[in-house]
Amino acid sequence: MKQAAILLNPRLLSFRNKGFAKDRSIRLIIFAGIGISFWAGIFAICYRVLMYFQRVEGIGNILAYKLLSMVLLIFFSLLIFSSILTSLSNLYMSKDLTLVHSLPVPGEKIFLAKWIESTIDSSWMVVVYAIPVFISYGIVFKAGPFFYIDIALTLFPLCIIASALSSIMVLLIVIILPASRIRSVFVFLCLVLVVILYMTFRLLRPERLVNPENFASLLSYLNNLSAPSYPLLPSTWAFDSLKAALIGDASCSLFNVALSMSCAAFLIFSSILIARAIYFKGFSKSQASMARPFQHKKERLDKLFSFLSGPTKSFVVKEIKTFLRDQAQWSQIFLIGALIVIYTYNFSVLPIEQSPIKSVYLQNLLSFLNVALAAFVLISVTARFAFPSISIEGSSFWIVRSAPIPLRTFLWIKFFIYLFPLLILSEILIVVTNLLLNVTPFMMYLSIITLFFLTPGVVSLGIGLGAAYPDFNSENPAHTVTGFGGLVFMIISAAYIGAVIVLEAGPVYTIFMSGIRNENLSYFQLLWIIGSFFTAFLISMLAIILPMRFGEKRLMRGFFR
Amino acid sequence: MIDLINLSKHFGNIKAVDILNLSVSSGELFGFIGPNGAGKTTTIQMIGGLLAPTEGSVIIDGIDMAKEPEKAKKKIGLIPDRPFLYEKLTGMEFLKFTADLYEVSEEAFLENTEKILNMFSLIDRAHELIESYSHGMKQRLIMSAALLHEPLLIVVDEPMVGLDPRGIKMVKNLFRSLVAKGTTIFMSTHTLRLAEDVCDRIGIINNGKLIATGTINELKHTAQIGEADLEEVFFQLTEEEISL
């Protein structure tokens, strides 16, 4: 254990040293503010839902317990999912592993140290955001102090069980498959699973529940609600413990905590024994990189972009090839594709005709909101792909810096590489959804034009701020968007889209209403409409130019440091 | 070919390079040696346009790197000490990327690539992803890419790191033959034997200052050592500097 503790020291020291850096305090305050807002939001929503349940006579408590059981099941699944990914990284892919394995420490001690790291990494955030849910239960059910102690007693073994189970799975799988592939395969499979579950849920059309005819099956629904959960699941023990603590039954609660603790202890010892037998073997296997010969094909991409100048073509071709060969990108593309299908599908099932609001008005209102929604989809796609595109250069950035092209050109190449696919994506999205909404031609053209100007602005913000806040040392550049620069990008992009939408909303309403009322626009209204649209256009132009300049300056300043 | 005028680079309070003045002529193989942290890599990065100097200027073939960086960089083939490359490209694709970047014509690319890949024994692995290459192979690929556009100046940081004895011998011969054809080479190295074997002139840097330059004989004279090799000259000069 002493050796495992020593191995954990560098991580603790790095964390401490990172915390002392003065320039991080502003970032820390911003992140803490956002984190606390989310925490408070979860608490508020949960509290309201539970208070609502309490008012439903007869089945209020059943609903609340069912919700708790579902929350714990989801919580446990999330822990398993995040533990598999973090233990894969920590046990087999960390940069420090070559050093650690060269030290005179047995494999199982290294495993133990890395497993503790993984457990903390994978659990802390899930735990932090699960606590407001449990606290709201305590308040609504007027639970005593034992319940709050029981939250800690329940969550601790649950995290350990999830982490130990995941690490055992990872230890065994790595023997069969190389670690670098497992992560991609696993992420991909999980995404497929999530999307299938969501699609199934969507295809069930829960919006039909507003139809009173469906309440005929209430009795079977109630039966289902009060059915006990599967008794061998750790989340069931946690549920039983918390439920008992809520009603003040301490002995039943502690019995379930003991069940969880004993299972956790058993799994820890089992994982250490398994690690002793196979961890190093798996690590050794994961280090062997495979030669992947490529069929020498005619360079189609080179031909396709032959109209570009040499340096521009070289970066365009390089960018496309490296993007398409990175397996991690595929799962992301798949996820985004699925989300877009779900997004457009939702529009096709909107019960606009049943609404008491006039259908034409609602269709156009939704179309206008749809511009904002499509723009937010655009922000998230840009955040995932365009924003990290500078950091993704990583240690190879010396090639760009020593290349005979200005940094500005390099950034604009990146801009155009991401602009075209994102423009096509956002335009398809808006046209398809508008067709499903059956909007007026005016709204269709307005949406198309608005997105035509919004997209370059958002992409420029992504590239510019990605260049301003790069992380060339990141093991996973896609995660740079979760840092300070990513946050700045999200906030500014949202503000930019908000500003354009607000500037367009008034004039669009005036035009629309004058059309319905068959009235001509006054000169003042015309002037106001032109002024608003021109301001929106001006903001879009600034959104294209300013972030790119800012990014270039900041990136250049990096050389002067 | 290279003129470093009052070149300085400060990182906060640390003077990594301190008022360095140096000229390297065309067709010269200049060795740049010094202890760890002396400022060799910082100087190389400034010559290659990777770092901007705090003060002073870098002139490459009469072109000021600060004023016309792209024009100056076109004349350079840079070989860094650590071979970071685009791992998801194949070796051949990386060479094509470099050729396009330096606007090498298609004919010249086809003509040079095979020759260079053969020379660096990479021809058989040219269509494999770079991520499957060993450290030495990546280093050889960077060298191949640096030579592809036939630069007037090759700036190389620790060229022999990761190379096997055959590779080292080949690179030594290559450098000499390039210099014979008029190419200038600015090479930083820790391997004193290499500097002694191939360099026309050597500069010794310590604590960011250029403490001596000249041929081996001139350096021996400066160090006031009669019959000695470069290693002894190096220790004599750097220790003198420390004791001062």
Side-chain angles (χ1 to χ4, degrees), chain A residues 85-113:
Chain A
L85 290 182
T86 45
S87 51
L88 250 178
S89 302
N90 283 341
L91 290 169
Y92 296 100
M93 291 152 139
S94 276
K95 280 181 180 169
D96 66 337
L97 283 170
T98 34
L99 169 72
V100 170
H101 278 276
S102 70
L103 301 173
V105 182
E108 68 270 20
K109 298 279 170 63
I110 298 173
F111 166 80
L112 189 60

Side-chain angles (χ1 to χ4, degrees), chain B:
Chain B
M1 176 57 65
I2 307 175
D3 287 297
L4 307 180
I5 305 159
N6 293 327
L7 194 67
S8 297
K9 181 71 191 177
H10 303 168
F11 296 104
N13 294 327
I14 299 163
K15 291 178 178 174
V17 176
D18 193 16
I19 317 178
L20 196 150
N21 286 289
L22 176 70
S23 285
V24 179
S25 317
S26 290
E28 190 176 10
L29 205 164
F30 188 86
F32 201 49
I33 62 175
N36 288 333
K40 299 187 297 293
T41 298
T42 306
T43 309
I44 288 225
Q45 288 188 329
M46 286 191 281
I47 296 173
L50 271 70
L51 267 180
T54 311
E55 277 165 36
S57 40
V58 175
I59 312 290
I60 306 292
D61 198 24
I63 302 161
D64 190 335
M65 180 64 83
K67 288 177 186 157
E68 295 175 284
E70 291 79 43
K71 213 170 157 186
K73 284 175 188 177
K74 275 208 165 177
K75 297 186 181 289
I76 303 173
L78 180 74
I79 305 169
D81 57 341
R82 283 182 288 177
F84 292 118
L85 293 160
Y86 297 118
E87 304 271 316
K88 296 285 178 195
L89 295 188
T90 66
M92 182 62 92
E93 285 169 350
F94 182 71
L95 290 182
K96 181 74 180 119
F97 165 80
T98 313
D100 286 337
L101 207 55
Y102 286 86
E103 297 181 281
V104 176
S105 69
E106 192 67 26
E107 298 75 42
F109 171 73
L110 293 172
E111 196 184 309
N112 288 345
T113 312
E114 203 179 331
K115 196 172 70 189
I116 291 173
L117 285 172
N118 263 322
M119 188 164 64
F120 284 97
S121 314
L122 284 172
I123 195 87
D124 296 334
R125 308 275 305 264
H127 297 291
E128 284 175 21
L129 288 186
I130 294 171
E131 68 184 2
S132 70
Y133 284 15
S134 70
H135 181 93
M137 286 170 73
K138 287 179 187 173
Q139 191 68 16
R140 280 185 272 151
L141 183 64
I142 287 188
M143 288 190 187
S144 311
L147 296 177
L148 202 58
H149 64 286
E150 297 175 337
L152 292 176
L153 168 65
I154 292 173
V155 180
V156 49
D157 196 0
E158 293 295 347
M160 305 312 177
V161 174
L163 294 185
D164 56 21
R166 185 179 294 191
I168 292 173
K169 193 178 175 199
M170 186 272 291
V171 171
K172 273 186 187 178
N173 292 339
L174 173 72
F175 282 180
R176 284 309 326 168
S177 72
L178 285 169
V179 167
K181 285 177 198 161
T183 308
T184 310
I185 298 178
F186 186 94
M187 175 179 79
S188 114
T189 182
H190 281 301
T191 322
L192 300 179
R193 182 77 200 167
L194 170 73
E196 200 167 6
D197 282 354
V198 298
C199 294
D200 299 318
R201 223 155 46 97
I202 289 167
I204 301 176
I205 185 170
N206 196 18
N207 293 325
K209 286 182 190 292
L210 191 66
I211 55 173
T213 46
T215 60
I216 296 283
N217 287 333
E218 286 167 348
L219 289 176
K220 282 177 191 171
H221 182 72
T222 311
Q224 295 170 331
I225 293 176
E227 289 302 311
D229 59 10
L230 183 60
E231 194 171 65
E232 283 175 57
V233 173
F234 175 80
F235 286 128
Q236 176 74 22
L237 289 172
T238 50
E239 271 163 27
E240 261 177 29
E241 177 74 9
I242 291 163
S243 63
L244 282 173

Side-chain angles (χ1 to χ4, degrees), chain A residues 423-442:
Chain A
L423 191 61
I424 293 167
L425 170 80
S426 52
E427 292 293 1
I428 289 176
L429 205 62
I430 202 75
V431 169
V432 170
T433 47
N434 275 348
L435 284 175
L436 289 171
L437 283 170
N438 202 16
V439 298
T440 56
F442 169 71

Side-chain angles (χ1 to χ4, degrees), chain A residues 300-545:
Chain A
R300 291 198 197 109
L301 278 174
D302 276 310
K303 277 188 183 166
L304 188 65
F305 294 104
S306 57
F307 63 94
L308 296 170
S309 73
T312 311
K313 187 182 82 177
S314 65
F315 273 107
V316 172
V317 172
K318 185 275 290 179
E319 198 71 21
I320 295 171
K321 280 181 179 169
T322 49
F323 181 86
L324 294 177
R325 286 173 192 172
D326 188 352
Q327 298 159 41
Q329 308 282 18
W330 282 98
S331 52
Q332 301 286 329
I333 292 174
F334 170 78
L335 180 66
I336 283 164
L339 284 175
I340 287 165
V341 170
I342 292 164
Y343 180 81
T344 44
Y345 172 76
N346 281 340
F347 276 84
S348 69
V349 294
L350 277 175
I352 294 172
E353 296 77 20
Q354 290 167 24
S355 163
I357 309 169
K358 202 177 169 188
S359 180
V360 182
Y361 179 78
L362 193 65
Q363 276 164 345
N364 286 289
L365 176 75
L366 282 174
S367 157
F368 199 71
L369 289 175
N370 188 26
V371 175
L373 284 175
F376 284 114
V377 171
L378 175 72
I379 291 180
S380 54
V381 180
T382 308
R384 174 56 190 83
F385 295 108
F387 182 86
S389 69
I390 307 295
S391 301
I392 229 159
E393 295 286 326
S395 307
S396 310
F397 194 59
W398 71 269
I399 298 169
V400 178
R401 284 158 67 188
S402 65
I405 59 161
L407 203 58
R408 181 176 298 171
T409 312
F410 167 73
L411 291 181
W412 281 107
I413 290 171
K414 287 266 182 187
F415 170 83
F416 283 108
I417 286 172
Y418 288 94
L419 174 67
F420 290 114
L422 287 170
L423 191 61
I424 293 167
L425 170 80
S426 52
E427 292 293 1
I428 289 176
L429 205 62
I430 202 75
V431 169
V432 170
T433 47
N434 275 348
L435 284 175
L436 289 171
L437 283 170
N438 202 16
V439 298
T440 56
F442 169 71
M443 281 310 297
M444 178 67 100
Y445 294 135
L446 182 78
S447 309
I448 290 171
I449 294 168
T450 304
L451 271 170
F452 185 80
F453 285 106
L454 278 179
T455 310
V458 173
V459 175
S460 165
L461 278 162
I463 300 288
L465 293 171
Y469 302 98
D471 182 0
F472 295 117
N473 300 318
S474 174
E475 279 189 48
N476 188 351
H479 286 174
T480 50
V481 78
T482 57
F484 182 72
L487 189 71
V488 174
F489 163 72
M490 298 279 192
I491 292 170
I492 297 180
S493 301
Y496 162 53
I497 287 166
V500 171
I501 297 292
V502 167
L503 280 167
E504 286 187 355
V508 168
Y509 180 77
T510 310
I511 295 168
F512 186 69
M513 290 315 283
S514 72
I516 286 182
R517 290 175 191 147
N518 247 341
E519 291 170 354
N520 287 330
L521 294 166
S522 68
Y523 284 114
F524 173 73
Q525 280 176 324
L526 263 176
L527 205 68
W528 174 57
I529 288 165
I530 291 167
S532 278
F533 280 123
F534 181 72
T535 313
F537 171 75
L538 206 67
I539 291 175
S540 292
M541 289 299 111
L542 291 175
I544 296 171
I545 298 160

